[in-house]
Amino acid sequence: MSDNAGDPDDIDEVDETVEEELEEAMSTGADLDIEFHGGKWMSAFPLAFFVLWAIVQSGLFRIGDTTGLVAGMLIGLILGMLFVKGSWQTYANTIFAGMTRRVAATAVVAWLWAGMFANTIQAGGFVGGLVWAADAASIGAVLFPAITFILAALLATGIGTGYGTTVAFTTLFFPAGILLGANPVLMFGSILSGAVFGDNLAPVSDTTIVSAVTQDADIGGVVASRFKYAIVAAVLAFAGYVVAGGMFSGLDVSGQARQIFLQNSEAVGLVHLLSMAAVIGTAVAGRHIVEAISWGIIVAFVFNIALGLAPMSEMILFQAPENVGIAQSLSFLPFLELVPAGEAGVTGSIYTGAAGFFPLIVLVLLIVAGAQIMIGGGGFKALQDWLLRSVATSVRRTELTMVLGTAIVNAMITINTAAEIAIAPYIARLGERFNINGYRRANILDANTSALGYIFPWSGGVLVGFAAMQGLPSQFDWFTREMIVSPVEVWPFVFHGWLLVGVFVVAALTGFGREYTTDRRAAEVARV
């Protein structure tokens, strides 16, 4: 992003850069046409196999293992190759083309940086500070999920990454809510809902930019025009979490463990609100998300050392074999510890914050590769042609088809930005057929991809939160494996996600907010 995003000239330059990147992303592998036995629909086999595998693993067997999903996607890609006509080389090259796409790297970077940041401020006692503040303000289990939703929505809107928000809030707010007696499934759902809100509305969000650019609309106008939809869903979601908070009880955390944690919780941990403010402020100023979160990590690191919140060894620690001579001579260093030879390694918040997402990173790269195969094999085009020919026969049915189409694509491509890029050209064709303007098309596209990317149990937004949650038992003595929420449990409780989809279903049926190209001057809609 531009260093000075408030300057209109700079915004135009950013838009041009984004448009070039999108054109490159959508054309990657376009010349790698693949023919399948069984026709174009067989190009969807790897992704369809993965979805079926995920349903069986997560839904039927209740196994929340990301590495297991990796195995499912790998097998899907191998089996898909058996249906290829002629040489398998093009199929193999398409896998590489998909795995090197920028859209996958964006998600990976967000997870790694957000993981390091969240674990570093956690090492500095931020969770304890949250618990102290909630206890002092008498905010109990009933209201905490609703408040978490609002705060997560604000952070996601400010920094423009729902994935980063999910990582940070699952690492920080989730354990605080559990300790206060909030229902764990509600807590996870409220975090995912906040991520949906920010992904959908943030001007610097990837999904916002992609939806605007691919529908030939300006980013500012798109954000302004979608606010009415987002706020209706958010108000209803907030009310839903307040009501549900009183209906669903939390887990029975040991009274002694809770009391000990409260006694050790200090208000000084809240200083890391400034660390979060550094991230938000830098992102809002137009800096790249990597720079924004990096500044947050630096500020958090300084606070931890300067205020004695955490020693350097809790943030980065080399555990060297005690029989190594150079290690013995440098044992005075605060980031070095001598251990038996079999226990050597690296640890600390920086390391663990990144390492927890390695299986998920592999999964994402493979899923995007599967999407590239479906594009190269003509599966997406076949879907588009079927929708145009058989379903989208009126304005109302066209808009409902846009909602249905984004749902189908998101069920297979679990990274919302990647799903948005894949379906965007077809949304444009559907909308242009009935003269629906760019703002409306962009809003339907973005709302559904943002929402559904945090609902399906195998989607990237859910899995990234689940990955962060799996590290909590090693960080808190009182947090047990039974407190981890399975991805298959949370999908009904992502209230804002479901309500946002519902708002657009109602809007399509009633015409609420519908605009045609002639309703606005061309210059207001088009980016040319």
Side-chain angles (χ1 to χ4, degrees):
M1 297 295 292
S2 167
D3 289 346
N4 183 11
D7 189 325
D9 293 334
D10 288 341
I11 291 177
D12 289 339
E13 292 176 4
V14 171
D15 289 351
E16 291 173 3
T17 301
V18 171
E19 188 168 14
E20 291 173 0
E21 292 172 352
L22 283 171
E23 289 176 354
E24 180 183 355
M26 288 186 285
S27 65
T28 300
D31 57 335
L32 301 177
D33 295 328
I34 314 170
E35 291 188 17
F36 286 87
H37 294 289
K40 295 179 179 179
W41 289 107
M42 284 306 300
S43 65
F45 180 87
L47 288 176
F49 181 89
F50 165 72
V51 171
L52 179 61
W53 179 292
I55 291 173
V56 171
Q57 175 186 308
S58 302
L60 297 182
F61 299 154
R62 299 297 180 98
I63 301 173
D65 183 1
T66 306
T67 306
L69 295 178
V70 171
M73 192 65 228
L74 283 170
I75 294 173
L77 289 169
I78 293 171
L79 295 178
M81 185 169 59
L82 301 179
F83 294 96
V84 174
K85 286 184 179 180
S87 173
W88 291 350
Q89 183 174 349
T90 302
Y91 184 92
N93 287 335
T94 303
I95 293 177
F96 281 94
M99 294 182 72
T100 55
R101 285 180 59 173
R102 181 185 177 92
V103 66
T106 300
V108 168
V109 168
W111 297 340
L112 292 176
W113 260 253
M116 292 187 292
F117 172 66
N119 277 30
T120 299
I121 63 177
Q122 184 192 85
F126 185 60
V127 173
L130 289 175
V131 173
W132 178 91
D135 187 62
S138 299
I139 298 174
V142 173
L143 288 179
F144 201 79
I147 292 174
T148 297
F149 163 60
I150 295 299
L151 294 177
L154 291 174
L155 177 63
T157 303
I159 67 177
T161 166
Y163 288 151
T165 299
T166 300
V167 173
F169 270 66
T170 302
T171 305
L172 304 169
F173 279 71
F174 183 82
I178 300 303
L179 202 63
L180 292 169
N183 181 273
V185 179
L186 267 186
M187 280 298 303
F188 194 20
S190 68
I191 292 169
L192 295 173
S193 284
V196 171
F197 184 93
D199 251 2
N200 175 230
L201 199 62
V204 295
S205 167
D206 282 347
T207 60
T208 299
I209 296 170
V210 169
S211 66
V213 171
T214 58
Q215 304 307 309
D216 292 326
D218 63 280
I219 295 174
V222 162
V223 172
S225 66
R226 75 178 42 156
F227 181 78
K228 57 182 176 289
Y229 308 111
I231 201 64
V232 168
V235 170
L236 294 175
F238 178 81
Y241 284 117
V242 172
V243 173
M247 295 175 58
F248 296 95
S249 59
L251 298 176
D252 184 19
V253 179
S254 167
Q256 182 178 3
R258 184 177 186 276
Q259 191 61 34
I260 292 174
F261 191 84
L262 280 171
Q263 290 175 352
N264 293 329
S265 298
E266 299 177 345
V268 68
L270 293 174
V271 72
H272 283 302
L273 288 171
L274 297 177
S275 303
M276 299 184 76
V279 175
I280 296 173
T282 308
V284 171
R287 302 287 185 173
H288 194 284
I289 190 61
V290 170
E291 180 180 353
I293 301 182
S294 294
W295 276 115
I297 295 172
I298 293 170
V299 171
F301 190 94
V302 171
F303 277 147
N304 285 349
I305 298 299
L307 300 180
L309 298 175
M312 184 176 293
S313 59
E314 285 193 28
M315 292 177 282
I316 187 68
L317 179 64
F318 294 92
Q319 296 175 313
E322 56 189 2
N323 59 354
V324 176
I326 186 65
Q328 294 175 357
S329 62
L330 296 175
S331 60
F332 62 91
L333 294 173
F335 50 83
L336 180 64
E337 178 184 27
L338 300 181
V339 297
E343 301 176 9
V346 180
T347 187
S349 64
I350 299 294
Y351 170 83
T352 58
F357 300 102
F358 290 167
L360 187 57
I361 289 170
V362 175
L363 177 62
V364 168
L365 296 178
L366 294 173
I367 289 173
V368 176
Q372 196 66 47
I373 287 171
M374 190 171 175
I375 293 172
F380 278 114
K381 188 177 187 304
L383 175 62
Q384 172 206 11
D385 292 341
W386 175 76
L387 292 173
L388 285 169
R389 182 178 62 254
S390 306
V391 183
T393 56
S394 67
V395 174
R396 181 182 298 175
R397 293 187 68 181
T398 293
E399 292 194 338
L400 286 173
T401 300
M402 292 179 182
V403 176
L404 173 64
T406 53
I408 293 173
V409 172
N410 271 273
M412 295 185 293
I413 305 176
T414 65
I415 307 303
N416 51 13
T417 307
E420 197 168 87
I421 290 175
I423 195 68
Y426 313 133
I427 295 297
R429 281 196 61 189
L430 286 168
E432 289 168 356
R433 181 176 183 177
F434 290 94
N435 207 32
I436 299 170
N437 79 12
Y439 293 152
R440 177 75 164 188
R441 300 195 311 263
N443 289 337
I444 294 175
L445 171 62
D446 189 281
N448 289 285
T449 49
S450 293
L452 296 169
Y454 294 89
I455 290 178
F456 294 116
W458 55 87
S459 65
V462 178
L463 291 177
V464 73
F466 179 68
M469 204 180 298
Q470 288 180 304
L472 295 177
S474 63
Q475 296 167 12
F476 299 101
D477 294 336
W478 53 268
F479 197 102
T480 63
R481 304 295 302 182
E482 290 73 24
M483 297 177 183
I484 296 176
V485 178
S486 170
V488 78
E489 295 178 277
V490 75
W491 65 268
F493 298 94
V494 189
F495 293 162
H496 184 71
W498 287 117
L499 287 165
L500 194 58
V501 173
V503 164
F504 276 94
V505 170
V506 172
L509 292 171
T510 63
F512 169 68
R514 182 181 296 145
E515 290 183 299
Y516 298 95
T517 304
T518 54
D519 292 339
R520 295 177 186 243
R521 297 193 309 275
E524 293 179 320
V525 178
R527 300 182 62 258
V528 296

